[in-house]
Amino acid sequence: MARKKNSSADVTGPRIRSAALRLFARHGYAAVSMRQIASEVGVQAGTLYLYTPDKQSLLFDLMQNHMQDLLSELAALPDVQSPLAELQQFTRFHIRFHRARSDAVFIAYMELRNLEPKNFERIEAMRRQYEAHLEGILARGKAERLFDLPDTKLAAFALIAMLTGVNTWFREGGRLSLDAVEEIYWRMVKKAVGG
Amino acid sequence: MARKKNSSADVTGPRIRSAALRLFARHGYAAVSMRQIASEVGVQAGTLYLYTPDKQSLLFDLMQNHMQDLLSELAALPDVQSPLAELQQFTRFHIRFHRARSDAVFIAYMELRNLEPKNFERIEAMRRQYEAHLEGILARGKAERLFDLPDTKLAAFALIAMLTGVNTWFREGGRLSLDAVEEIYWRMVKKAVGG
């Protein structure tokens, strides 16, 4: 948050972010007021402004944190040796990361329309970085003739959409465990890129 | 629309739907008032209520029309002989139908949260019918040992998400024509389901 540094004892910043995330996901950014967010946190509207200059900054912070977490967790994955192993790791990572953050994923896609141009550019740059990572895996596999893909960029878009789609239907405690779902999706991904 | 039947001379109903679609897609359902919709159409708020009892009915009408169009165009596709040809036809149809209606697609996914339970159930039933159509193709291909799919339901979800994803990045006049995109996606779909 912009104006006030969090100390370890200060839990208000994270509580504001979490309330904003919940309210934006439920009602949409444009329909939520700073007053409602303050009320959800249980503070005065004035207190909210100690933590964030305005609603746009709050939205941007949420999206930026989401993308930063995504990129840093991706970078922290253990090294694996082949494009096929990398793709398998990416598949499982993508499903699991996004599944655990359905509100943030929903907002990251839906509220792009409400980012100011400069903020939009920064979020888009991070998203492109993530897509480029997958495209790199696909290009290496193509170079090694493991993968047969006429267009690695489109394949990256297609796979990311397919994997993120798990969020629209997966329910904890349903017919299949997330692990089983990852396995079934991996099988399809592997065949889709295969030679 | 609920209260007033459209005559062929009456263009207000369609203009209301089209304005609501545009405004909901731009700002989100919760942030748009009936007054704003009336103003966008260029009629008094009172006139709007001659066409639709409330905003919820308008949202439901938009989603229902979208799903009805989808199901009726799907049903009108020419008969083809094999599950593989059916799947190819479905792939191209899905991309093309959704691409031409990006606002309606956006709303159909994003504003499910704002449907009242009874309306939600009706839209969900139509969506399930569409998914079941694809699952039927996949199951027939599996029965004929053309397709190797451990779970036809998940495969249907995965393919639909992948194909709808074209809307997030495709731009008319970009690097690839929609026809070329359809061909590249079809190649991936065919491999993903293949034996």
Side-chain angles (χ1 to χ4, degrees):
Chain A
M1 302 283 121
R3 294 195 191 163
K4 186 167 171 179
K5 289 263 187 295
N6 290 334
S7 75
S8 62
D10 188 355
V11 295
T12 308
R15 286 180 56 223
I16 290 171
R17 273 196 289 266
S18 140
L21 184 68
R22 209 159 47 239
L23 289 171
F24 291 164
R26 178 66 195 88
H27 306 290
Y29 172 79
V32 174
S33 68
M34 289 292 267
R35 192 166 293 276
Q36 273 176 282
I37 298 169
S39 158
E40 176 93 0
V41 179
V43 299
Q44 298 293 318
T47 306
L48 201 56
Y49 287 100
L50 297 175
Y51 289 87
T52 185
D54 51 33
K55 199 170 66 152
Q56 173 68 206
S57 306
L58 204 41
L59 178 64
F60 176 68
D61 276 351
L62 288 175
M63 289 201 188
Q64 188 180 39
N65 287 347
H66 176 66
M67 291 308 297
Q68 280 170 344
D69 287 351
L70 178 66
L71 291 171
S72 68
E73 291 201 22
L74 177 70
L77 292 175
D79 279 343
V80 289
Q81 293 303 315
S82 78
L84 199 67
E86 278 185 284
L87 186 59
Q88 180 174 27
Q89 187 186 55
F90 180 92
T91 298
R92 287 183 169 276
F93 165 73
H94 186 97
I95 292 176
R96 206 161 276 266
F97 181 93
H98 288 83
R99 176 57 209 156
R101 292 162 183 82
S102 57
D103 278 354
V105 171
F106 187 76
I107 287 172
Y109 281 81
M110 287 321 109
E111 299 297 0
L112 284 175
R113 61 186 172 186
N114 282 314
L115 283 177
E116 290 168 4
K118 201 186 66 180
N119 289 339
F120 179 81
E121 257 321 300
R122 292 164 69 185
I123 298 298
E124 277 301 285
M126 287 191 277
R127 188 194 306 276
R128 280 194 296 270
Q129 193 182 332
Y130 185 70
E131 289 164 354
H133 178 91
L134 174 55
E135 205 192 333
I137 297 172
L138 298 177
R140 284 192 291 282
K142 185 175 174 174
E144 295 185 23
R145 296 172 185 270
L146 292 166
F147 302 159
D148 174 28
L149 294 167
D151 195 304
T152 51
K153 188 176 280 297
L154 258 66
F157 291 155
L159 295 181
I160 285 174
M162 180 174 128
L163 300 176
T164 308
V166 170
N167 272 19
T168 64
W169 61 265
F170 183 79
R171 295 295 169 265
E172 216 65 62
R175 181 167 65 90
L176 293 163
S177 69
L178 192 56
D179 198 63
V181 169
E182 286 172 28
E183 192 54 39
I184 290 170
Y185 271 70
W186 163 238
R187 227 178 118 165
M188 283 188 282
V189 166
K190 185 181 173 183
K191 288 197 296 173
V193 303
Chain B
M1 301 281 123
R3 294 198 190 161
K4 185 167 172 180
K5 286 264 188 294
N6 291 334
S7 75
S8 62
D10 188 354
V11 295
T12 308
R15 286 182 56 225
I16 291 170
R17 271 195 290 265
S18 141
L21 185 67
R22 210 158 48 239
L23 289 171
F24 291 165
R26 177 66 195 88
H27 306 289
Y29 172 80
V32 173
S33 68
M34 288 292 269
R35 190 165 295 276
Q36 274 176 280
I37 297 169
S39 159
E40 175 94 1
V41 179
V43 298
Q44 299 293 319
T47 307
L48 200 57
Y49 287 101
L50 297 176
Y51 289 86
T52 185
D54 51 34
K55 199 170 65 152
Q56 173 68 208
S57 305
L58 206 40
L59 178 64
F60 175 68
D61 276 351
L62 288 174
M63 290 202 189
Q64 187 180 40
N65 286 349
H66 177 67
M67 292 306 299
Q68 280 171 343
D69 287 351
L70 178 66
L71 291 171
S72 67
E73 290 201 21
L74 177 69
L77 291 175
D79 278 342
V80 288
Q81 291 305 314
S82 78
L84 200 65
E86 278 186 284
L87 186 59
Q88 181 175 24
Q89 187 185 55
F90 180 92
T91 297
R92 287 185 169 274
F93 166 73
H94 186 96
I95 291 176
R96 206 160 276 266
F97 181 93
H98 288 82
R99 175 57 208 157
R101 293 163 182 80
S102 57
D103 278 354
V105 171
F106 187 76
I107 287 172
Y109 280 80
M110 287 321 110
E111 299 298 1
L112 282 175
R113 61 186 171 186
N114 282 314
L115 284 176
E116 289 168 5
K118 201 185 67 183
N119 288 339
F120 179 82
E121 257 320 300
R122 291 164 70 185
I123 298 298
E124 278 300 285
M126 287 191 276
R127 187 193 307 276
R128 280 194 297 271
Q129 193 182 332
Y130 185 70
E131 289 163 354
H133 178 91
L134 174 56
E135 205 193 331
I137 297 173
L138 298 177
R140 284 191 293 282
K142 185 174 174 175
E144 295 183 22
R145 295 172 186 271
L146 294 165
F147 302 160
D148 174 27
L149 294 167
D151 195 307
T152 51
K153 187 176 281 297
L154 257 65
F157 291 155
L159 296 181
I160 285 174
M162 180 174 127
L163 300 176
T164 308
V166 170
N167 272 19
T168 64
W169 61 266
F170 183 79
R171 296 294 169 264
E172 217 64 60
R175 180 167 66 90
L176 293 163
S177 69
L178 192 57
D179 198 63
V181 170
E182 287 172 27
E183 193 53 39
I184 291 170
Y185 272 69
W186 163 237
R187 228 178 117 165
M188 283 189 283
V189 167
K190 185 181 173 182
K191 289 197 295 173
V193 304

